[in-house]
Amino acid sequence: MKTIVIVGAGPGLGMAIGQKFGQNGFQVALVSRNQDKLDNLAAQLKSEGIEASGFAADLYNPEQLTQAFDQIKEKYGFIDVLEFSPTVGQFPPTPAMNVTADNALDQFQGLVLGAIHSVQQVLPAMLERQTGAILFTTGLSAIYPIPMMGNVGIALGGLRNYANNLHTDLAPKGIYVGHLSLGVFIKPDTPTDPKYIADAWYDMYVEKDKAEETFPVGVTPETIVW
């Protein structure tokens, strides 16, 4: 079986991605800070016939993250897909005029450095095998300046740059890197249900013909789905 690691797993999008990939033959490794939450999510996936386990780690702690990935590799072997979609930070989204070094660095450390460290845990083996996929989920401020997302947008813009450069570097080596930017407020049982985002991600993963897409396709700050 193939294995997907979901960094930033929660009951919404992370669970939906785990269900979608799990229904298509993947084992699911869930990573976030709270082991009890992870155990509950894994139990739900197992109840649906999907092999899953949780591995607690704080993105701001590289040693914890490395340890979690080591445990995942010991349990499941080669990691075929890394999906990165955490909510991070000790500061809320901050308007551009109120951005400080502290609230900007906080987001950068969690999103950008957390992503880099996560990628470093899977990339050597993917390069050795010339296969694998790395998926980055962000918000629309990764692409468009949105003043009220001042501190978050700085980090997400950097994460998008990293993702697109990785795509350029790794596509010739057989590794797919994709970026999906969300222009929705996720709500279950609506057109913005996380299961539809998971469907979009799985389609991008299977087709591997796009480095980047928005959800919904073509969404802008003026057309964000509330």
Side-chain angles (χ1 to χ4, degrees), residues 166-208:
L166 275 181
H167 176 84
T168 300
D169 282 349
L170 298 178
K173 303 180 187 301
I175 299 167
Y176 172 67
V177 180
H179 169 226
L180 184 63
S181 189
L182 308 183
V184 300
F185 284 79
I186 297 174
K187 296 178 183 178
D189 302 318
T190 73
T192 64
D193 191 293
K195 67 183 180 182
Y196 299 123
I197 301 170
D199 289 344
W201 249 142
Y202 191 75
D203 289 345
M204 285 179 67
Y205 164 73
V206 170
E207 298 296 331
K208 296 179 173 61

Side-chain angles (χ1 to χ4, degrees), residues 13-224:
L13 181 58
M15 172 59 71
I17 291 172
Q19 289 169 322
K20 182 65 179 183
F21 278 77
Q23 291 160 4
N24 285 276
F26 278 77
Q27 304 170 125
V28 180
L30 306 165
V31 178
S32 70
R33 287 176 294 180
N34 187 302
Q35 188 65 53
D36 289 340
K37 179 184 77 174
L38 292 172
D39 290 343
N40 288 335
L41 297 177
Q44 181 178 338
L45 289 170
K46 288 181 179 179
S47 73
E48 299 172 14
I50 298 168
E51 169 56 32
S53 295
F55 303 84
D58 187 336
L59 273 178
Y60 290 83
N61 187 319
E63 291 76 18
Q64 285 186 15
L65 199 58
T66 298
Q67 183 178 31
F69 273 92
D70 286 345
Q71 292 170 347
I72 293 167
K73 294 168 191 175
E74 182 177 354
K75 184 176 180 68
Y76 291 131
F78 178 68
I79 296 169
D80 299 89
V81 179
L82 167 66
E83 192 275 333
F84 186 84
S85 55
T87 300
V88 305
Q90 302 179 40
F91 297 89
T94 303
M97 65 181 180
N98 295 326
V99 169
T100 66
D102 286 341
N103 62 41
L105 182 61
D106 179 60
Q107 289 288 321
F108 186 87
Q109 287 178 322
L111 292 170
V112 180
L113 300 188
I116 291 170
H117 194 72
S118 297
V119 169
Q120 289 173 338
Q121 306 310 304
V122 302
L123 187 54
M126 288 182 178
L127 286 169
E128 182 179 347
R129 296 195 182 198
Q130 300 282 285
T131 187
I134 301 170
L135 315 177
F136 296 97
T137 309
T138 70
L140 208 57
S141 60
I143 299 176
Y144 297 98
I146 300 176
M148 70 178 187
M149 304 293 287
N151 59 332
V152 178
I154 291 170
L156 289 183
L159 182 56
R160 180 199 183 200
N161 183 285
Y162 176 55
N164 287 338
N165 281 329
L166 275 181
H167 176 84
T168 300
D169 282 349
L170 298 178
K173 303 180 187 301
I175 299 167
Y176 172 67
V177 180
H179 169 226
L180 184 63
S181 189
L182 308 183
V184 300
F185 284 79
I186 297 174
K187 296 178 183 178
D189 302 318
T190 73
T192 64
D193 191 293
K195 67 183 180 182
Y196 299 123
I197 301 170
D199 289 344
W201 249 142
Y202 191 75
D203 289 345
M204 285 179 67
Y205 164 73
V206 170
E207 298 296 331
K208 296 179 173 61
D209 60 349
K210 297 176 184 176
E212 181 171 80
E213 187 56 274
T214 61
F215 182 92
V217 174
V219 68
T220 69
E222 291 73 32
T223 61
I224 286 176

